[in-house]
Amino acid sequence: MTAFPITHATTLKAPPPDASLKFGTVFTDHMFMMEYAAGRGWSNPRIEPYHALSLDPATCVLHYAQAVFDGLKAFRGTDGVIRIFRPDRHAARLNQSCERLCIPALDPALVEQSFHALVGLEQRWVPKLPGTALYIRPTVIATEPFLGVRPAESYLYYVILSPVGAYYPEGMNPVKILASERHVRALPGGLGAAKTAANYAASLFPAEEAHRLGYTQVLYLDGAEHRFLEEVGTMNIMMKIDGTVVTPPLAGSILAGVTRDSVLTLLHDWGIRVEERPIAIDEVIAAIASGRLEEMWGTGTAAVISPVGELGYKETRHVIRNGGIGALTQRLYDAIVGIQYGSAADPHGWARAVAPASVPA
């Protein structure tokens, strides 16, 4: 493990009570930082007190959105050990997003070490209450000040931490989603497979529209035909039809979710049949009507597993499993959460223990 220079904060904040935690509203005392300059590469990795960034008004990221990020979590286990869930996979995905936006690649081992070093320093911020975690947000932004459409020549990589509770107000209770007939998340050849700021900006208007109609999230259909399922808000979508789990394939417009990959691996381990194939919305509606659709759920870092209890489409609300949680949905949630908190076997080595670090008095 690389020993990064640390500048300790002179005043430490008190972490909020675990029971009061929301998602992404409170931040810890320190952050990790590193810069890139053309001709020099990535340099000066360090940990500093959490502080505001100073950017020139002409900074590239403010005008052309050359920004990527990722998101993962650290958990305080039932045994007191702090573990980060699949940091190597998240470091690799961050680089994949960087490549799509012409951002110079980072050393994935150094990225993973930045997670461990910062969480190790901020270990008192990792909450204890079941269902809570310390959210890790690595980000890369273009920092060169200029006006012109080209890749920047300077960048900032930074990591911030936030103790969090449930992402959705419903928690593990079933959510309601609206299949959009007109809004598009991404097209093949676009930015859909990268985790970029632009993707999330585009989702704000459709999400607000869905909220006004009483739905939690938007289920996006493909941009070409508005027929095939893609993603649901910040999650990948899955369902069980006639005993088979079905999920849209990664074909260039869907983000390769780490939780999605974890679920597919577990299903394979359990001998449950999985099909990664295009799924038409009409097929889903017909399967609900006939009772063949047994369960539907979303997968993502923030919510882990989120059961879907209602699907809206063409002004009709379709209830799934009488609005309850399916047995497989619950099993997947319990299995992943058990690995994250260290209370279940981890045969694939997904949960990486964080070494304790000296904490300033």
Side-chain angles (χ1 to χ4, degrees):
M1 174 70 69
T2 302
F4 301 109
I6 300 174
T7 302
H8 293 294
T10 55
T11 302
L12 300 181
K13 298 173 290 189
D18 290 1
S20 72
L21 292 174
K22 298 184 175 13
F23 199 95
T25 59
V26 176
F27 302 95
T28 68
D29 296 303
H30 298 86
M31 61 194 296
F32 184 96
M33 303 182 74
M34 179 171 62
E35 290 87 15
Y36 176 93
R40 189 175 70 216
W42 288 102
S43 65
N44 194 24
R46 65 201 183 275
I47 294 175
E48 295 184 351
Y50 187 99
H51 62 275
L53 302 178
S54 178
L55 298 175
D56 188 289
T59 300
C60 171
V61 67
L62 303 177
H63 300 270
Y64 308 111
Q66 201 181 3
V68 302
F69 64 94
D70 217 283
L72 61 161
K73 289 178 177 177
F75 302 85
R76 189 181 298 276
T78 53
D79 54 3
V81 175
I82 296 171
R83 298 173 176 86
I84 302 176
F85 189 69
R86 306 199 71 177
D88 54 336
R89 186 86 179 196
H90 285 279
R93 189 172 69 175
L94 181 67
N95 261 338
Q96 292 164 4
S97 298
C98 285
E99 180 181 15
R100 183 62 181 83
L101 263 65
C102 298
I103 296 172
L106 299 101
D107 177 359
L110 190 147
V111 170
E112 188 172 351
Q113 289 169 14
S114 72
F115 303 156
H116 279 265
L118 190 58
V119 172
L121 179 65
E122 302 283 58
Q123 58 193 278
R124 69 190 186 94
W125 285 87
V126 183
K128 299 181 176 68
L129 194 68
T132 63
L134 186 66
Y135 185 76
I136 306 168
R137 170 54 62 88
T139 305
V140 188
I141 61 171
T143 54
E144 182 187 358
F146 75 96
L147 300 180
V149 183
R150 62 164 174 81
E153 294 188 352
S154 64
Y155 299 87
L156 171 67
Y157 167 72
Y158 65 91
V159 184
I160 57 177
L161 306 176
S162 176
V164 298
Y167 185 77
Y168 293 121
E170 296 92 337
M172 183 55 183
N173 292 320
V175 297
K176 301 175 181 180
I177 62 175
L178 175 65
S180 177
E181 300 174 64
R182 60 193 185 95
H183 295 299
V184 174
R185 176 187 172 272
L187 286 164
L191 297 177
K195 202 166 177 68
T196 71
N199 285 343
Y200 292 82
S203 74
L204 297 178
F205 184 82
E208 287 302 302
E209 222 175 46
H211 294 163
R212 286 194 292 272
L213 295 172
Y215 293 94
T216 307
Q217 272 291 1
V218 177
L219 173 60
Y220 292 98
L221 305 179
D222 72 285
E225 300 181 57
H226 289 268
R227 180 184 171 200
F228 295 100
L229 274 60
E230 295 239 316
E231 286 191 22
V232 52
T234 57
M235 303 183 293
N236 296 114
I237 190 70
M238 296 184 178
M239 64 208 71
K240 185 181 177 188
I241 301 176
D242 291 334
T244 297
V245 173
V246 186
T247 193
L250 301 178
S253 59
I254 295 176
L255 185 69
V258 176
T259 308
R260 175 188 186 275
D261 179 78
S262 304
V263 165
L264 295 179
T265 300
L266 289 174
L267 293 172
H268 179 268
D269 291 347
W270 297 341
I272 296 174
R273 179 172 173 166
V274 176
E275 293 179 356
E276 295 183 65
R277 63 170 175 83
I279 312 162
I281 184 65
D282 290 341
E283 177 187 352
V284 176
I285 300 302
I288 295 173
S290 65
R292 295 170 48 244
L293 192 148
E294 302 166 45
E295 305 176 42
M296 179 183 283
W297 65 90
T299 68
T301 295
V304 187
I305 303 291
S306 187
V308 177
E310 186 176 301
L311 170 63
Y313 181 58
K314 291 188 174 180
E315 300 183 354
T316 300
R317 294 174 179 261
H318 303 272
V319 177
I320 300 168
R321 287 193 57 84
N322 296 317
I325 301 174
L328 181 57
T329 303
Q330 187 69 58
R331 183 183 179 189
L332 287 165
Y333 177 83
D334 292 342
I336 292 178
V337 169
I339 292 170
Q340 290 172 335
Y341 286 95
S343 60
D346 182 12
H348 299 284
W350 288 338
R352 307 288 177 85
V354 174
S358 58
V359 180

